[in-house]
């Protein structure tokens, strides 16, 4: 066994012994409540997006709903549309579903596989609604794809790091999220 392998085994062993002595068990997952998720998402809004250089779409804090049957989330996002070519500001709702992915570089959960269900704007002329509809998928991807929905904290992952584990599958439950903790994939370097 080379020095690096021995060091990794020794570190994991010390962490396991320390865990056993403290009465704590090695966690198999990290849970994030729907309330905590909602709180974290609210901090990322409002957001502004230009549309065709003439309009401005403003998105405010979404209301999230867990969709455990599809392992996805739903977001109802209040929107306002204004700009030079409109005489007034129109309000409405963007309704989207999305899955989650883990981004290891900053330990965040982010939206992906974003599916627009609808964009409803109250009182907007049909021609303007049609024009806006052509941008809806790109706007939803831009609005949610950039948003950090949750960032795993060092306290969540301190023991996990010592045991050479990492976040794995993300499961949506009625209460929130469960993030499985799995053994890190071997890099093959020795």
């Amino acid at each position: 066994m080379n020095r690096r392998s021995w060091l990794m085994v020794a570190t994991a062993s010390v962490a396991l012994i320390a865990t056993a002595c403290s009465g704590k068990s090695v966690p198999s997952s990290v849970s994030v409540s729907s309330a905590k998720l909602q709180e974290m998402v609210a901090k990322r809004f409002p957001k502004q997006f230009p549309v065709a250089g003439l309009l401005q779409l403003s998105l405010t804090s979404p209301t999230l709903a867990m969709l455990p049957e599809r392992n996805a989330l739903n977001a109802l996002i209040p929107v306002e549309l204004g700009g030079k070519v409109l005489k007034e500001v129109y309000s409405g709702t963007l309704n989207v579903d999305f899955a989650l992915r883990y981004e290891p570089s900053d330990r965040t959960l982010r939206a992906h596989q974003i599916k627009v269900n609808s964009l409803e704007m109250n009182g907007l002329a049909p021609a303007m609604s049609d024009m806006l509809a052509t941008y809806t998928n790109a706007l939803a991807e831009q609005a949610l794809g950039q948003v950090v929905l949750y960032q795993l904290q060092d306290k969540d992952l301190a023991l996990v790091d010592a045991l050479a584990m990492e976040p794995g599958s993300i499961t949506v439950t009625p209460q929130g999220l469960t993030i499985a903790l799995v053994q890190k994939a071997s890099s093959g370097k020795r």
Side-chain angles (χ1 to χ4, degrees):
M1 183 181 297
N2 66 30
R3 186 181 292 170
R4 183 177 179 159
S5 297
W6 183 86
L7 185 59
M8 288 179 67
V9 169
T11 303
S13 298
V14 168
L16 280 171
I17 291 167
T19 300
C21 291
S22 70
K24 295 179 181 176
S25 63
V26 178
S28 62
S29 65
V30 173
S31 295
V32 181
S33 72
S34 57
K36 183 66 175 175
L37 199 58
Q38 184 70 55
E39 175 187 326
M40 293 296 290
V41 169
K43 293 177 183 179
R44 311 288 186 203
F45 286 84
K47 289 190 168 288
Q48 308 278 330
F49 298 96
V51 179
L54 300 171
L55 303 171
Q56 186 75 18
L57 191 67
S58 302
L59 287 74
T60 57
S61 182
T63 301
L64 299 177
M66 306 296 121
L67 303 173
E69 66 282 357
R70 294 196 343 244
N71 201 37
L73 282 85
N74 173 266
L76 291 176
I77 308 170
V79 298
E80 286 189 345
L81 182 67
K84 301 173 189 173
V85 297
L86 298 176
K87 294 178 182 174
E88 59 185 280
V89 175
Y90 295 90
S91 61
T93 304
L94 177 61
N95 180 332
V96 296
D97 292 344
F98 58 92
L100 293 171
R101 68 176 179 84
Y102 176 67
E103 176 54 51
S105 65
D106 59 2
R107 296 181 160 188
T108 57
L109 300 180
R110 296 175 182 265
H112 81 123
Q113 297 175 345
I114 299 166
K115 176 185 171 272
V116 174
N117 298 320
S118 65
L119 174 61
E120 297 177 7
M121 299 300 297
N122 302 323
L124 193 61
M128 189 64 73
S129 290
D130 291 344
M131 194 246 351
L132 189 58
T134 63
Y135 293 96
T136 304
N137 285 331
L139 287 169
E141 185 69 41
Q142 188 178 5
L144 287 173
Q146 298 174 358
V147 174
V148 171
L149 295 162
Y150 185 75
Q151 184 165 27
L152 292 165
Q153 305 300 310
D154 288 339
K155 66 180 176 136
D156 293 333
L157 298 176
L159 179 60
V160 172
D161 285 342
L163 296 173
M165 296 176 79
E166 64 187 353
S169 65
I170 302 166
T171 304
V172 177
T173 70
Q175 296 77 29
L177 306 176
T178 301
I179 304 152
L181 300 174
V182 297
Q183 225 31 66
K184 283 186 180 175
S186 175
S187 64
K189 295 179 183 174
R190 294 188 182 221

